[in-house]
Amino acid sequence: MSNPLFQFNEGFGMSSVEELAALQKALYAGYEVNPLAMTDGAAIRAEDVDNTLHITTYRDEHFRIWNDIAKIPAYSTAEQYIRLTGYGTAEGGFMGEGSLPNETTSQLERMVAFVKYIGTRRRVTHPMMMARTYATDPVTMENRNGAMVIARQLEWSMFYGNSKLGHEVGGRPSEGLEFDGLWNFAEVEVDMRNKPLTERAVNSIAQVVLDNYGMPNRMYLDYAVWQDLNTTFFPKEKVLLPTNDGEYTAGVKIGSMVTQAGTIRVSPAFFLQSTDLRSPLRECPLVNTNVDVPLPPSAVTIGTPTGSDGDFVKSFPSGGTVSYKVTACNFNGESAGVAGDVDVTLTSSDVTKHIPITIANATSPTANNVEYYNIYRKDDNTGGKYYWIAAVPCQDQAGSGATVWNDTNSVMPGTRVAFLGEMNPDIIHFRQLSPLMKIDLAQIDTSYRWALVIYGVMVLTTPRKWVKVKNIGRLVA
């Protein structure tokens, strides 16, 4: 070899200072991962990429109500069903000897549920399909990830979906793209008024379901509410359980509760605490959430408190200050928030009044016009943050068209939600016109495009057998 570095016959220490420096430099592998910056030893260093795809977002175990609910076939885009609301008059059952009993008639009504369509479009380029990849095949990965997107949308919609968020036509909201979730389906609600959920409260809510001929067996709540419920059961005691290796396990986790209505399974649901879609924990966005969203409102006018239907006393009995922001929404997303023109200071005599809000549509609406508005509120209890309190259908899509809504403090910003009722296929189920399926799309370039879709609607045949528990507060440490 002519390279002096390999002329060992000359003995050690015979190389020049430059040659030793080159040898020393070649021994360093370094940490560079940019191929354009890899020099010397890094240029020949093999990269080691873990073949496992590590998931940093939600997974299958985050879906609770979607996994629990019964799925049954649907056969039309308008699914009709019949409800038996009564067996007949309860009075007059007794009769005299030899006489005829009174005639009674069943009470029946026909209802309809409109199938809705949920999907996601995916795309992989042809070179990406040909290239060697780590972890998994890209099409397989996109199929699974797309299915997760749809499952997440279904899970959230079963809690917060609202079918009446289309713009108003003839004074009535048009049918929106979502199906109704328990937030809008449940005809009975319990207001916790910023108090934590306790054992006594759960028993009282279970009694409400019993009074409506239901047999409650399921309660969905978010993890923070679950934590507080666990704490209220064991406020002082320390539960220590021995393990096989001599250690002890501390703490409690309530999986079910025995009530006068029977055993109720407690299911903490991750998406009840949603912060990126409608819920009382969602903060007002500072920028547009997506492309093709409506232009922001041109003005948000906050009126003087009036009327007698408000309930602000549960937020601040002696009065307080409230501020508002409003976003314009369609089914692509929502615009950045627009602040109300004034803050409102409520006195102790104002807490039973409502606050009127007038929203003016954009002066020159685009083709991506507004379907509804999200209203956010900041007050003395929200730590300076604006939280969602309402979604209101647009009443006039014309330029500067007005939409009026009154804030009665029905929803307290930054509070939490739970649902309790009877999980029974006869009472609540998901009707599928189509299960999850893959539809190949036309190839218009050197990429493979397809859509994943599912068609269906959640049906709650007896809305009084589920209770919406709103404005749940947190335990104070």
Side-chain angles (χ1 to χ4, degrees):
M1 297 182 185
S2 59
N3 192 327
L5 292 176
F6 296 96
Q7 294 175 1
F8 297 112
N9 59 318
E10 296 183 9
F12 295 105
M14 299 302 295
S15 296
S16 65
V17 174
E18 293 78 8
E19 291 168 339
L20 289 173
L23 176 61
Q24 184 181 30
K25 185 177 181 181
L27 293 177
Y28 280 94
Y31 301 107
E32 184 60 59
V33 294
N34 180 3
L36 298 179
M38 288 182 174
T39 59
D40 303 313
I44 62 171
R45 187 195 70 224
E47 290 190 275
D48 184 11
V49 179
D50 191 347
N51 281 325
T52 301
L53 184 64
H54 297 277
I55 300 173
T56 62
T57 182
Y58 53 89
R59 301 187 299 272
D60 291 337
E61 53 265 37
H62 287 104
F63 305 124
R64 293 303 176 91
I65 189 171
W66 172 247
N67 291 332
D68 292 342
I69 197 168
K71 287 85 173 174
I72 67 174
Y75 301 99
S76 173
T77 55
E79 282 288 290
Q80 299 185 62
Y81 56 97
I82 300 172
R83 299 199 309 185
L84 174 67
T85 60
Y87 297 108
T89 305
E91 293 82 6
F94 291 93
M95 61 182 183
E97 180 180 352
S99 60
L100 287 172
N102 291 335
E103 180 179 308
T104 59
T105 304
S106 301
Q107 286 90 51
L108 301 168
E109 61 183 5
R110 180 176 292 193
M111 307 296 292
V112 62
F114 300 112
V115 167
K116 301 302 171 72
Y117 316 105
I118 301 174
T120 178
R121 190 174 67 211
R122 318 300 278 192
R123 175 174 173 263
V124 176
T125 66
H126 186 255
M128 185 72 242
M129 296 170 64
M130 301 293 292
R132 181 179 178 182
T133 60
Y134 292 102
T136 185
D137 169 70
V139 174
T140 302
M141 181 184 69
E142 286 299 294
N143 275 328
R144 172 169 175 77
N145 293 348
M148 294 293 284
V149 168
I150 291 176
R152 185 238 195 276
Q153 198 72 20
L154 286 166
E155 177 86 358
W156 172 84
S157 298
M158 288 180 176
F159 291 129
Y160 293 112
N162 189 341
S163 68
K164 297 299 183 286
L165 288 184
H167 65 279
E168 289 194 2
V169 177
R172 299 183 61 183
S174 56
E175 186 73 17
L177 299 185
E178 302 174 7
F179 56 73
D180 280 320
L182 291 174
W183 177 271
N184 293 287
F185 251 142
E187 293 182 355
V188 182
E189 65 179 38
V190 171
D191 191 343
M192 293 300 297
R193 305 178 72 83
N194 206 29
K195 299 294 191 298
L197 193 65
T198 62
E199 179 184 10
R200 176 175 293 183
V202 172
N203 277 279
S204 297
I205 298 165
Q207 185 62 46
V208 172
V209 179
L210 274 179
D211 292 342
N212 288 288
Y213 307 105
M215 300 298 293
N217 57 12
R218 194 63 50 92
M219 178 170 63
Y220 297 102
L221 70 177
D222 74 30
Y223 281 86
V225 176
W226 191 36
Q227 173 195 354
D228 289 345
L229 186 61
N230 290 331
T231 303
T232 60
F233 268 86
F234 299 92
K236 296 179 181 179
E237 297 86 348
K238 303 295 183 183
V239 179
L240 299 176
L241 302 175
T243 61
N244 293 332
D245 56 7
E247 295 181 349
Y248 283 84
T249 300
V252 292
K253 181 177 71 172
I254 298 173
S256 59
M257 293 180 57
V258 178
T259 70
Q260 76 278 16
T263 301
I264 298 175
R265 178 69 183 169
V266 178
S267 295
F270 182 82
F271 294 110
L272 265 178
Q273 58 195 31
S274 173
T275 58
D276 58 346
L277 291 171
R278 287 193 312 273
S279 86
L281 292 176
R282 174 167 171 76
E283 294 183 38
C284 184
L286 301 177
V287 297
N288 293 353
T289 62
N290 204 348
V291 297
D292 298 330
V293 301
L295 293 175
S298 58
V300 177
T301 305
I302 312 301
T304 302
T306 185
S308 59
D309 57 344
D311 192 14
F312 287 91
V313 67
K314 64 190 178 187
S315 292
F316 14 76
S318 302
T321 301
V322 298
S323 307
Y324 296 91
K325 284 187 177 182
V326 178
T327 62
C329 309
N330 60 17
F331 296 98
N332 295 316
E334 62 182 313
S335 71
V338 173
D341 60 339
V342 295
D343 298 341
V344 177
T345 300
L346 297 168
T347 66
S348 58
S349 61
D350 292 329
V351 294
T352 58
K353 302 176 180 179
H354 69 251
I355 300 175
I357 301 173
T358 301
I359 308 162
N361 193 14
T363 306
S364 300
T366 66
N368 300 306
N369 210 342
V370 59
E371 292 290 333
Y372 65 97
Y373 297 102
N374 274 338
I375 300 178
Y376 299 81
R377 195 177 84 212
K378 177 182 74 173
D379 58 37
D380 297 342
N381 302 319
T382 62
K385 298 178 179 180
Y386 289 86
Y387 289 107
W388 179 90
I389 58 170
V392 182
C394 174
Q395 296 166 5
D396 188 349
Q397 287 188 312
S400 301
T403 296
V404 180
W405 179 78
N406 297 328
D407 182 15
T408 61
N409 200 28
S410 174
V411 175
M412 300 171 67
T415 55
R416 297 171 184 269
V417 180
F419 297 100
L420 189 150
E422 183 175 353
M423 181 59 73
N424 181 325
D426 184 56
I427 295 171
I428 182 172
H429 53 261
F430 184 76
R431 297 195 176 199
Q432 289 186 153
L433 183 62
S434 165
L436 182 66
M437 63 179 179
K438 176 183 174 185
I439 301 175
D440 289 340
L441 303 178
Q443 188 168 344
I444 59 176
D445 54 21
T446 56
S447 62
Y448 173 48
R449 301 182 310 135
W450 71 100
L452 296 172
V453 297
I454 186 171
Y455 308 149
V457 59
M458 189 176 84
V459 174
L460 183 60
T461 60
T462 48
R464 299 190 68 82
K465 292 184 181 180
W466 276 86
V467 176
K468 175 174 72 176
V469 188
K470 66 180 184 179
N471 298 330
I472 302 173
R474 295 297 312 276
L475 278 178
V476 178

